[in-house]
Amino acid sequence: MLRAGTPAGKHDERASRPVPAALRRAAPALLAYVGTRLLGVVVLSVWAAVAGKSWHTLLSARWDSIWYSRIAEEGYGYTLRLPDGSVHSDLAFFPLLPWLERLISAVTPLDAPDAGLAVSWVASLIAAWGIFAIGDRLHGRRAGTALVALWAVLPVGVVQSMAYSESLFTALAAWGVYALLTGRWVWAGSLAALAGLTRPVGAAVIAAVWITAAVALSPDGRWRRPWRAEHRRMLLGVALAPLGWLGYVAWVGVRTGSVTGYLDVQAGWRNGFDGGVAFVRFVWGLLAGPAFPAGLGLLVGVALLIWLFLRCVRRGEPLPVLVYAGVVLALALTAKGYFGSKPRLLLPAFPILLPAAAALARLRTSRAALILAWVGLASAAYGAFWLNGTGPP
């Protein structure tokens, strides 16, 4: 049976630990995370030096990072027109990361790219803590630590160390989902609003808040009138949740003079959502040509993702976790364009790693550590190879 989390108003001792105690409990997971990310940066720096490149530039000033830092320095309004007819507008990028870059560069010696790197590094650590908190709450400390370690060693984990918005978004989303699990509705709504200012997939956190609240307010299919104080807090969280996402999309609409302004901007990037039709065509094109092994590997990867999500459903993971992970997964797989970026778009979908984390937690510590060490080294090498390539992650 699906669980909605702690009912509003119920006291939860695990959720009310003092911050120092919660940090001590999370320390092994955070140390494992920091070690993995340091390994990734070291391997990247060696690889980049051999290739005659700068690891710092690869992490802070390439691809999307350049767009974010330009917004931080000059504001919105830059448009790039490509020979193929594509129109790349900076309005495609949500504003929270460049706002933070501008704030930090205004009060510290850091320029915008380095401020973005600082935000990403700090946010990734906060994200790891939130991911641990969810895993610990659901399946215990070992599973929480394993969940963080698995998130750190993902093949695209290097993005967690880049001046991209994935780390910031995952931090807000993880703690937003945790707030739902512990009945903190105002916090959940506020974090959902901030997540909605960070990436379009902020819709996943909003959906988690709304659907969890709808289920909590309608036990056994009977709508319950929200007269009690905890229900009023729930409705406040529901009202807060979409403000960031809707606010930015509405602002883009006003700026472009069109109700569909944000969708038009995405179309200029040849991006958007088509139910997965373009992705299916892309995979079919690989399978029908000399890149058949790549197409087959991609099919296996998608099947694995869906299987992991279904395992989460069968295991009875709480409703906020399932809604959030399911929406992130669906949005990533049904988006068209930039197919090479899909692994990065899936990075915030950490809850689908819960079955693997639970299995890893059952192993002896030495065996689990050895597995994670080898996978972490492979991930670091893959990340270095990926960033030293020509295409954006």
Side-chain angles (χ1 to χ4, degrees):
M1 180 179 294
L2 299 181
R3 295 168 286 159
T6 298
K10 297 287 187 180
H11 179 70
D12 188 336
E13 293 182 359
R14 291 175 299 176
S16 58
R17 290 191 185 100
V19 171
L23 269 175
R24 284 195 297 272
R25 185 170 179 83
L30 299 182
L31 288 173
Y33 179 78
V34 170
T36 303
R37 293 276 39 88
L38 285 177
L39 175 64
V41 172
V42 168
V43 172
L44 174 63
S45 64
V46 172
W47 197 303
V50 172
K53 299 178 181 179
S54 165
W55 67 269
H56 177 264
T57 299
L58 291 174
L59 291 178
S60 66
R62 288 193 76 187
W63 302 302
D64 289 10
S65 302
I66 297 175
W67 288 87
Y68 283 120
S69 60
R70 182 185 287 115
I71 294 168
E73 293 167 343
E74 303 173 10
Y76 284 99
Y78 180 79
T79 299
L80 179 65
R81 299 181 183 275
L82 302 183
D84 66 357
S86 299
V87 180
H88 290 185
S89 168
D90 58 9
L91 294 173
F93 297 89
F94 277 51
L96 186 57
L97 177 57
W99 283 351
L100 293 175
E101 289 179 352
R102 177 180 294 182
L103 174 63
I104 292 171
S105 60
V107 299
T108 72
L110 298 177
D111 59 11
D114 283 339
L117 204 58
V119 170
S120 184
W121 287 10
V122 172
S124 71
L125 195 58
I126 296 172
W129 187 10
I131 291 169
F132 168 81
I134 291 172
D136 180 28
R137 177 178 178 81
L138 298 181
H139 302 293
R141 188 181 191 185
R142 285 177 62 87
T145 301
L147 183 62
V148 170
L150 287 172
W151 187 66
V153 302
L154 288 173
V156 294
V158 67
V159 176
Q160 298 160 11
S161 299
M162 297 178 67
Y164 272 37
S165 59
E166 273 75 14
S167 291
L168 178 60
F169 174 79
T170 306
L172 295 167
W175 284 107
V177 171
Y178 183 77
L180 284 174
L181 292 174
T182 55
R184 292 178 165 93
W185 289 98
V186 178
W187 272 107
S190 300
L191 290 166
L194 291 173
L197 279 172
T198 308
R199 294 189 61 78
V201 75
V205 192
I206 299 168
V209 173
W210 280 8
I211 293 176
T212 304
V215 171
L217 286 172
S218 57
D220 302 322
R222 296 189 303 273
W223 190 259
R224 182 166 53 194
R225 299 179 69 182
W227 293 122
R228 297 206 298 258
E230 61 265 28
H231 295 152
R232 290 195 292 272
R233 288 193 294 271
M234 183 185 298
L235 292 183
L236 177 57
V238 167
L240 289 171
L243 294 184
W245 192 93
L246 286 178
Y248 182 68
V249 170
W251 180 79
V252 172
V254 172
R255 176 104 177 201
T256 60
S258 171
V259 175
T260 60
Y262 185 76
L263 296 178
D264 298 337
V265 168
Q266 287 287 357
W269 283 78
R270 300 189 185 280
N271 208 346
F273 298 94
D274 63 357
V277 173
F279 186 45
V280 170
R281 289 175 178 167
F282 173 73
V283 176
W284 178 252
L286 294 177
L287 292 173
F292 176 83
L296 184 60
L298 192 54
L299 273 182
V300 171
V302 171
L304 177 61
L305 290 172
I306 295 173
W307 179 80
L308 284 171
F309 178 72
L310 293 177
R311 283 287 300 160
C312 289
V313 174
R314 294 192 195 102
R315 288 163 55 90
E317 301 295 356
L319 185 61
V321 171
L322 294 178
V323 172
Y324 167 73
V327 174
V328 173
L329 188 61
L331 291 177
L333 294 181
T334 60
K336 62 181 180 180
Y338 295 93
F339 300 112
S341 296
K342 284 193 180 293
R344 170 173 65 86
L345 300 180
L346 287 163
L347 193 61
F350 62 87
I352 66 174
L353 297 172
L354 278 167
L360 194 63
R362 290 193 291 268
L363 298 179
R364 293 177 57 182
T365 301
S366 57
R367 179 173 297 181
L370 182 62
I371 293 172
L372 289 170
W374 279 109
V375 176
L377 184 60
S379 173
Y382 178 78
F385 168 78
W386 197 22
L387 291 195
N388 277 278
T390 57

